[in-house]
Amino acid sequence: MDVKVGFVIVCLCTLAITSSEAGIPKCCINTKSDIRPRILMNVQRWEMQESNSACDIQALVLYVKNFKKPVCAHPNVKPKLKTILKIKDQMARRRPS
């Protein structure tokens, strides 16, 4: 009986630890301001990390194609990103289907 109780306790602890990881935010600790245009062209989506939330600094979080981890960019990169994405969108519209 003791082995079963121990096993149940271990299982419950494992479940509690793995489910609580979803509640821990993944924050950028530092940012880069010199992001290459090639990387910006491959951004699939982006989001702003605000400093007033659970994270300490404001950052532009870039999810780049073929990158395993997001790139943490300085918020000053946002206008450059928007310009490059606009050009990329215009180029995609001009291509014949």
Side-chain angles (χ1 to χ4, degrees):
M1 186 71 168
D2 291 332
V3 175
K4 289 181 182 180
V5 172
F7 180 73
V8 169
I9 290 173
V10 169
C11 288
L12 290 175
C13 288
T14 303
L15 180 66
I17 290 170
T18 56
S19 65
S20 67
E21 284 182 13
I24 300 171
K26 296 189 186 309
C27 298
C28 292
I29 298 170
N30 52 26
T31 60
K32 293 182 180 182
S33 56
D34 57 336
I35 307 293
R36 294 184 181 150
R38 174 74 68 192
I39 291 175
L40 294 175
M41 285 290 287
N42 289 320
V43 169
Q44 294 179 323
R45 67 183 178 93
W46 60 273
E47 59 189 39
M48 281 298 294
Q49 170 184 297
E50 298 297 333
S51 59
N52 59 1
S53 61
C55 304
D56 292 335
I57 63 170
Q58 190 174 19
L60 183 64
V61 184
L62 308 174
Y63 298 92
V64 183
K65 183 178 179 181
N66 298 326
F67 280 40
K68 290 183 181 180
K69 294 183 179 180
V71 175
C72 297
H74 192 277
N76 293 343
V77 175
K78 188 176 178 180
K80 187 176 179 182
L81 172 67
K82 285 189 167 190
T83 301
I84 288 179
L85 292 178
K86 185 176 179 181
I87 292 169
K88 182 180 171 184
D89 185 48
Q90 289 173 350
M91 289 172 56
R93 289 181 186 181
R94 288 184 186 167
R95 283 191 205 147
S97 301

